[in-house]
């Protein structure tokens, strides 16, 4: 059921993000080492910066996982209820060409 409040009540697939971060971490560590050994400092620096970004993202994902069901709901946590007292907004008019 779509309520229109999905952007504010959406849930993140944190386990999937965690494993994607781990995958990215492995590749950026490998890329940094490989480019450093191949004497390509620019590419090694680029992989190093990406490594830093992925590490920060991984830390945030782990923090949200540890915060409990608000960020990582299980199957026993029901979906958020839509806001009850939100003003009515009519749907946008359709753009039809004659």
């Amino acid at each position: 059921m779509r309520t229109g409040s999905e952007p504010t009540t959406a849930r993140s697939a944190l386990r999937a993000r965690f494993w994607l971060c781990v995958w990215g971490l492995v590749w950026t560590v490998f890329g940094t080492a490989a480019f450093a050994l191949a004497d390509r400092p620019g590419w090694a620096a680029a992989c190093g910066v990406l490594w830093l970004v992925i590490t920060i993202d991984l830390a945030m994902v782990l923090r949200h996982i540890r915060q409990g069901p608000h960020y990582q709901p299980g199957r026993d946590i029901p979906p958020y209820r839509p806001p009850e007292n939100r003003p009515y907004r009519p749907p946008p008019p359709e753009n039809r060409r004659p």
Side-chain angles (χ1 to χ4, degrees), residues 8-87:
T8 59
T9 60
R11 297 179 180 181
S12 176
L14 291 175
R15 282 181 286 242
R17 278 184 60 195
F18 170 78
W19 288 111
L20 286 172
C21 284
V22 169
W23 181 251
L25 199 63
V26 168
W27 277 106
T28 55
V29 169
F30 172 75
T32 303
F35 284 124
L37 291 174
D39 199 28
R40 301 281 187 178
W43 285 104
C47 284
V49 168
L50 191 57
W51 182 1
L52 178 66
V53 170
I54 290 173
T55 302
I56 292 169
D57 186 39
L58 182 62
M60 292 302 298
V61 168
L62 288 174
R63 178 176 177 259
H64 286 169
I65 287 174
R66 287 186 189 131
Q67 287 180 339
H70 177 71
Y71 285 100
Q72 185 63 21
R75 294 172 197 246
D76 57 335
I77 306 295
Y80 292 120
R81 294 181 52 82
E84 297 294 331
N85 53 359
R86 118 187 125 140

